[in-house]
Amino acid sequence: MRFGVVGLAFLAVLLDGFDSASLSFVLPSLARQWGVASAAFTPAVVLTNIGVVLGYLASGRLAVRLGLRRMLIAGTVLFAAGSLATALVLPLQSLAALSAVRLGTGLGLGVVLPGAVSIATAHHPDGQRQTVSVTVTLGLAFGGTVAGVFGGSLLASVGATGVFWIGGGLPLLLAVVMGRWLPAAPESSAASASAARVGALFAPGLRAATLLLWTFAFLVFIASYTLQSWVPTLLTGYGFSAAQAPIGLAFLSFGGVIGGVVLLLLAARKGITFALMVMPAIGPVSMVVAATVGTDHTALLLALAGSGAGVTASQIGQLTLAVAMYSPATRTAGVGWAAALGRVGSIVGPATAGVLLALSLPGEDIVLLTAIPVVAAAVSAAVLWRLPRAAVEAEVVAGR
């Protein structure tokens, strides 16, 4: 394994995950400082995810025009600039200005993930690509874990504005390092203009698998980003203070790290499609526990870790499946479109949760409702697993 390439790609995704989580854990503090309800920040949350979707959709074409290396560096610089812009507008206490800069931040975030996964897997043979894909994508969970563990102390020491200064400065530094040491992808992985089009993902033998993968991603991201976006806010309804609430995000994200490791081991033995049928089942069970534990904070945090294990592993796994399904020429477009369809779910889920919060629905009920799309995702994975002689199965077996 080329650890330098994987390490740089992993760090880019980790900082992506940190930025995504940063807005989440500062919301309770911002709501108190600005004198508004937490639900008022729903447009900023939703527009971040809209920007990410647009970035994902553009990633295939950008890979053709810029190459994977330059695309990844450009995306990192863009979301760094967006984070710095967020720090600049927070003192204005303007929801409109915050929403606008978060849209631009999301564009950069959307380019980073497919670029990082594609360039890291391009440097490795088929037999290593599942491991490399999971390793790089785990950066999202690690970024959320870092944000959750240190979020409370960062808020206390540097405030919400300082969080985004840090969140913008670190990726700028990483972009400089990548510009110096990240090698370009091998020529054989360069996509053609035709391979970057979405129609290439519906070639014979791939059509049904692509549609099922998109359905799975959409449903899983509804749950994943509802929890990631609103868990700190929901925990204040369980009796946590604004300074304590980020710890819920840490448990959710750390559970995702554990779930990603379990996914990797299960996929190595049974194949990624089987793993994606099994792992989502952990999420709904844990969410039901989280919704019914009452004021037992320890049990609640452990249930959030279980929810993260099931949901985040499924989120990571759908990208791993996309890597296995598509050829090198179509891989960036395939990963980007699968992630984009997932991120549509990340718009629907947090937006719906924001409306429910505005209607004063208890946090326990919102967590319970979040389990429903995960159950439906497991059903989609089961259908995908049963597809007779699907191209995806042949690719996954070849890659093991």
Side-chain angles (χ1 to χ4, degrees), residues 85-221:
T86 302
L88 289 172
V89 303
L90 284 183
L92 302 177
Q93 296 193 5
S94 168
L95 290 169
L98 176 62
S99 299
V101 298
R102 292 307 299 175
L103 176 63
T105 308
L107 287 169
L109 295 172
V111 171
V112 166
L113 182 60
V117 171
S118 295
I119 197 168
T121 55
H123 283 280
H124 295 84
D126 287 344
Q128 292 180 303
R129 282 177 179 158
Q130 285 191 43
T131 301
V132 170
S133 175
V134 171
T135 301
V136 171
T137 312
L138 273 173
L140 289 174
F142 272 97
T145 302
V146 170
V149 170
F150 297 104
S153 58
L154 283 174
L155 282 173
S157 59
V158 300
T161 301
V163 168
F164 288 102
W165 282 118
I166 294 170
L170 290 177
L172 277 182
L173 177 61
L174 179 62
V176 173
V177 174
M178 288 193 295
R180 176 66 179 83
W181 283 291
L182 182 66
E187 288 297 323
S188 60
S189 68
S192 64
S194 60
R197 297 191 183 101
V198 65
L201 309 180
F202 289 85
L206 282 177
R207 187 176 298 111
T210 292
L211 290 174
L212 286 167
L213 174 62
W214 287 3
T215 300
F216 180 89
F218 172 76
L219 294 168
V220 165
F221 273 65

Side-chain angles (χ1 to χ4, degrees), residues 246-259:
I247 195 63
L249 195 62
F251 273 80
L252 182 74
S253 300
F254 183 70
V257 173
I258 301 300

Side-chain angles (χ1 to χ4, degrees), residues 218-368:
F218 172 76
L219 294 168
V220 165
F221 273 65
I222 286 179
S224 177
Y225 279 86
T226 296
L227 294 175
Q228 181 176 308
S229 299
W230 293 114
V231 152
T233 300
L234 295 175
L235 288 187
T236 60
Y238 282 86
F240 288 74
S241 68
Q244 294 171 328
I247 195 63
L249 195 62
F251 273 80
L252 182 74
S253 300
F254 183 70
V257 173
I258 301 300
V261 174
V262 174
L263 172 83
L264 183 60
L265 296 174
L266 186 59
R269 293 181 62 86
K270 296 290 187 178
I272 187 63
T273 49
F274 181 85
L276 289 182
M277 185 175 62
V278 173
M279 292 304 295
I282 301 172
V285 174
S286 299
M287 290 177 205
V288 170
V289 173
T292 56
V293 294
T295 58
D296 188 338
H297 287 182
T298 300
L300 173 61
L301 292 174
L302 291 175
L304 285 176
S307 302
V311 174
T312 305
S314 302
Q315 181 185 348
I316 293 169
Q318 61 90 18
L319 291 175
T320 304
L321 180 57
V323 169
M325 281 172 57
Y326 302 116
S327 67
T330 59
R331 186 165 293 134
T332 302
V335 170
W337 274 87
L341 268 292
R343 278 287 192 157
V344 172
S346 78
I347 297 169
V348 173
T352 302
V355 172
L356 295 177
L357 279 170
L359 295 174
S360 300
L361 191 73
E364 297 93 329
D365 293 345
I366 294 175
V367 172
L368 197 59

